[in-house]
Amino acid sequence: MGNSALRAHVETAQKTGVFQLKDRGLTEFPADLQKLTSNLRTIDLSNNKIESLPPLLIGKFTLLKSLSLNNNKLTVLPDEICSLKKLETLSLNNNHLRELPSTFGQLSGLKTLSLSGNQLGALPPQLCTLRHLDVVDLSKNQIRSIPDTVGELQVIELNLNQNQISQISVKISCCPRLKILRLEENCLELSMLPQSILSDSQICLLAVEGNLFEIKKLRELEGYDKYMERFTATKKKFA
């Protein structure tokens, strides 16, 4: 991509606060963006070939609310990304991330996190300290079990479709705001699904198709009627 074209994008972003440069074959984060650290609210560099984020630059976008780097080649996130206190939406689908920075819990404004199609082997415990997090997409990773720490998650929707989950802590029923739980196409036996999800949780949409049991067996479990009451009440609300 020519320098003049990039310069034109930078000039536009200076006025709009939005920098969008998708499908351009970029191999690195544009250094020219350092001129815009104090006025960018949105950066979208999806569908490129970016392998890393510059630590000294990425943490300086103090007003940034939305960062999208879907379909790149990121293997690790620098700790400096956790300085983005205004960040509300972080979208990193289809990269090569195996874990999140240990300081990820400092992203106190984060509401939506998309990490579908990465290589995470576990539910990141850092998510449990994010009090404003509403939606988390961890589908298409390599997560095998859901630990007790899940009970501290504040999310409303948790997508764990297409992982390798065979165990779920009963603490998932304690999530105070969790309404939508997606567990499709995992490795769950019916006996491994905590019945308290049905009888004693806030969950009103449980998606479990494509596991190691028939859905009709789920309907026979104790507590299923309570779950259906929540499901129906929610459906009516949005009808």
Side-chain angles (χ1 to χ4, degrees):
M1 181 179 173
N3 275 348
S4 57
L6 181 58
R7 208 174 301 124
H9 276 275
V10 170
E11 282 172 16
T12 305
Q14 224 152 3
K15 298 170 193 149
T16 62
V18 176
F19 185 83
Q20 191 175 60
L21 209 53
K22 304 194 288 188
D23 304 291
R24 297 301 177 102
L26 296 178
T27 54
E28 52 189 42
F29 192 91
D32 284 14
L33 291 189
Q34 60 195 1
K35 301 169 190 164
L36 304 175
T37 50
S38 58
N39 62 345
L40 277 188
R41 286 176 175 76
T42 300
I43 296 175
D44 189 350
L45 292 164
S46 296
N47 308 339
N48 283 293
K49 297 173 183 175
I50 298 168
E51 293 182 10
S52 64
L53 299 177
L56 296 176
L57 177 55
I58 195 67
K60 291 182 178 170
F61 294 97
T62 47
L63 296 180
L64 199 65
K65 285 194 163 187
S66 174
L67 177 60
S68 298
L69 285 147
N70 299 318
N71 302 305
N72 276 282
K73 296 186 174 182
L74 297 172
T75 54
V76 68
L77 297 177
D79 287 346
E80 286 78 2
I81 201 170
C82 306
S83 310
L84 303 175
K85 298 286 184 254
K86 294 263 170 92
L87 196 66
E88 295 179 1
T89 303
L90 179 57
S91 204
L92 299 164
N93 298 325
N94 302 318
N95 279 280
H96 308 295
L97 299 168
R98 293 178 181 275
E99 59 183 4
L100 299 179
S102 59
T103 49
F104 198 81
Q106 292 174 11
L107 286 170
S108 51
L110 202 61
K111 293 179 179 175
T112 303
L113 175 62
S114 301
L115 286 162
S116 179
N118 278 280
Q119 295 168 18
L120 298 171
L123 183 79
Q126 302 93 312
L127 303 186
C128 297
T129 56
L130 294 170
R131 294 286 164 237
H132 299 288
L133 200 55
D134 292 331
V135 179
V136 174
D137 185 355
L138 297 171
S139 61
K140 299 180 184 174
N141 276 280
Q142 295 161 16
I143 299 168
R144 294 174 181 274
S145 65
I146 304 302
D148 287 351
T149 48
V150 71
E152 296 164 39
L153 264 184
Q154 297 292 318
V155 298
I156 295 168
E157 177 172 352
L158 179 59
N159 186 343
L160 292 162
N161 288 348
Q162 293 178 300
N163 277 278
Q164 298 158 21
I165 297 166
S166 59
Q167 285 188 308
I168 301 179
S169 166
V170 68
K171 299 277 189 197
I172 198 160
S173 313
C174 304
C175 294
R177 299 201 304 151
L178 187 61
K179 299 270 193 259
I180 299 171
L181 177 59
R182 301 186 188 279
L183 286 161
E184 293 178 339
E185 295 179 49
N186 276 283
C187 308
L188 281 169
E189 302 271 3
L190 189 57
S191 59
M192 289 290 135
L193 192 71
Q195 286 196 17
S196 53
I197 288 178
L198 300 172
S199 60
D200 192 23
S201 77
Q202 301 291 317
I203 296 165
C204 50
L205 177 61
L206 175 66
V208 288
E209 286 78 5
N211 279 281
L212 306 178
F213 58 86
E214 295 175 46
I215 292 298
K216 65 179 181 189
K217 297 281 186 197
L218 178 71
R219 296 181 190 128
E220 294 165 11
L221 288 183
E222 197 177 328
Y224 187 79
D225 51 343
K226 281 191 173 177
Y227 162 68
M228 281 311 292
E229 281 172 21
R230 296 193 302 272
F231 175 81
T232 310
T234 306
K235 219 172 169 184
K236 277 181 186 158
K237 205 188 290 180
F238 293 106

